Amino acid sequence: MDNNIKYIKRALTLAKKGFGRTAPNPMVGAVIVRDGIVIGEGWHKQCGGAHAEVNAINSASKSTEGATIYVTLEPCSTTGRTPPCTDAIISAKFAKVVIGTLDPNPKHAGRAVKILNNAGIKTVSGIESERCTDLNKAFFHWIQTGTPYVILKMAMTLDGKTATAGGQSKWITGPAARKSVQQLRKWSDAIMVGGETVRADIPSLNVRNSQGNPLKGWKQPYRIVASRSMTPEIAENLMGSGGKVEIVTAESRDEWGEVLKKLGEKDITALLIEGGSELAGSVIEAEIVNEVAFYIAPKILGGKDSKPVIGGKAPLSLEEAYQLKNQGIRKIGDDILITGKIEK
């Protein structure tokens, strides 16, 4: 295996250690190699903390002079919450920097490369670029659009039902699928449900352990309810402790666009929408959903009055159907998870 690929893959593994803890910053990993030996490693552990490059430099067991640093994302070149990593790299006297993917911000993309080259440091970029980009898809989307990356998560029976006619929906899927959903919640900066879901299921919308208790040491997602009749006080009373609840109201694409813009301004990079069916129908019709995660249980509920997984307007033609690209299918316990990016 090419050394560039080998060490960028290792840096990706390190970057994932920051999963769910770095937003609105990206997950980044770094590996330092000198004379064919890894002498330092690091990753961005949390927002406001040292970046991956600095952590790797600080961990180095030998001098970094003349060494190569492999980093999954182009080093920052401006002062933000921390000083620019380009300064640290230059001070450490690296001979070479290998970059997985460039900064998605058009104002910064390639800027670090020029700075490092001008300092006499060789650079190589675009190594495992697709994987490095996908790792931070929410961050990339937020930087480029100012709005969060939206995943619509739904659970349904084999015949596309999400609840009985009376509204019972716990539990359609099994324990393994519900555990998988907790990973999505860890990824999310915010979670949104509809008002009817709050009334029927009384969800906590938190990241929790197998005993159902909030996970200690974890930043809980911001909670949002889409409703025309519910107040924050009612929602917080129903949903229990876990922070404030924001109420949003939107129907049209422009209205949903405004909601996402305001969330983006609050540094929310990743939004998980968990239904119910009318909310799911509304956000799909507004075309604000980037990706879906549908958990399908091997059950047939039946009944014309059972709740469909997607509500909203009924299309008149199959040509109006939304298509999935980059589909993923995997078995989770007894259930099946289908993921994909949505397009029409």
Side-chain angles (χ1 to χ4, degrees):
M1 180 188 296
D2 178 272
N3 279 339
N4 286 345
I5 295 175
K6 174 183 175 181
Y7 292 121
I8 286 293
K9 282 186 173 181
R10 173 57 187 166
L12 276 168
T13 298
L14 293 168
K16 292 174 184 177
K17 291 187 176 186
F19 178 80
R21 299 182 182 275
T22 64
N25 289 350
M27 291 173 276
V28 182
V31 177
I32 300 172
V33 178
R34 180 177 174 181
D35 299 326
I37 299 172
V38 174
I39 63 169
E41 294 185 334
W43 65 93
H44 185 39
K45 297 179 180 180
Q46 61 184 22
C47 180
H51 288 189
E53 299 93 324
V54 172
N55 284 332
I57 291 169
N58 289 340
S59 78
S61 58
K62 296 180 180 180
S63 170
T64 57
E65 185 172 358
T68 298
I69 184 168
Y70 299 82
V71 61
T72 55
L73 180 65
E74 180 180 3
C76 64
S77 53
T78 56
T79 299
R81 294 180 177 88
T82 61
C85 288
T86 47
D87 287 356
I89 290 171
I90 293 169
S91 295
K93 299 182 179 180
F94 284 103
K96 183 177 178 182
V97 178
V98 178
I99 301 166
T101 188
L102 296 180
D103 189 322
N105 189 331
K107 295 180 181 179
H108 299 159
R111 187 170 183 269
V113 171
K114 293 179 182 178
I115 291 171
L116 295 172
N117 288 344
N118 288 338
I121 299 173
K122 182 180 178 180
T123 59
V124 176
S125 59
I127 307 300
E128 294 292 302
S129 178
E130 187 173 343
R131 290 187 182 184
C132 292
T133 299
D134 188 62
L135 176 67
N136 288 302
K137 58 189 175 185
F139 170 76
F140 273 51
H141 180 85
W142 176 66
I143 285 292
Q144 293 167 331
T145 67
T147 62
Y149 187 92
V150 180
I151 292 182
L152 173 63
K153 167 262 166 184
M154 300 294 285
M156 73 192 83
T157 59
L158 194 59
D159 55 338
K161 306 297 184 180
T162 191
T164 65
Q168 182 183 356
S169 61
K170 289 185 177 180
W171 296 101
I172 287 177
T173 54
R178 297 198 295 274
K179 184 177 180 180
S180 169
V181 171
Q182 288 300 312
Q183 287 299 107
L184 280 176
R185 289 187 175 184
K186 287 180 178 179
W187 167 86
S188 307
D189 300 321
I191 303 175
M192 180 187 294
V193 294
E196 287 304 311
T197 297
V198 173
R199 294 184 182 95
D201 295 345
I202 313 180
S204 58
L205 303 186
N206 59 9
V207 175
R208 52 184 179 264
N209 58 26
S210 57
Q211 287 75 43
N213 299 316
L215 202 59
K216 293 182 179 180
W218 201 274
K219 182 182 178 181
Q220 294 294 338
Y222 187 64
R223 302 187 296 178
I224 306 169
V225 175
S227 174
R228 290 192 174 277
S229 59
M230 188 168 289
T231 65
E233 293 76 18
I234 291 173
E236 289 166 16
N237 184 56
L238 287 171
M239 298 163 71
S241 61
K244 293 183 178 180
V245 176
E246 179 177 345
I247 304 296
V248 300
T249 303
E251 289 185 3
S252 69
R253 184 183 302 183
D254 287 345
E255 289 172 338
W256 276 115
E258 189 63 26
V259 168
L260 293 187
K261 179 182 176 182
K262 289 179 179 178
L263 293 179
E265 290 170 352
K266 295 178 181 178
D267 286 352
I268 292 174
T269 67
L271 172 64
L272 179 64
I273 298 178
E274 294 197 10
S277 64
E278 290 304 314
L279 174 58
S282 179
V283 295
I284 285 181
E285 288 171 14
E287 298 184 353
I288 67 164
V289 177
N290 301 107
E291 188 175 335
V292 299
F294 282 10
Y295 292 82
I296 304 174
K299 302 173 183 176
I300 298 174
L301 184 58
K304 65 178 183 179
D305 293 326
S306 297
K307 307 290 185 181
V309 67
I310 304 293
K313 299 176 183 178
L316 301 177
S317 168
L318 284 174
E319 293 179 355
E320 298 180 61
Y322 293 86
Q323 302 288 333
L324 289 187
K325 60 180 181 178
N326 301 334
Q327 303 99 328
I329 302 175
R330 62 190 176 101
K331 201 167 185 296
I332 301 181
D334 292 329
D335 306 310
I336 295 172
L337 171 61
I338 297 181
T339 60
K341 295 189 176 181
I342 194 166
E343 63 178 13
K344 188 172 183 180

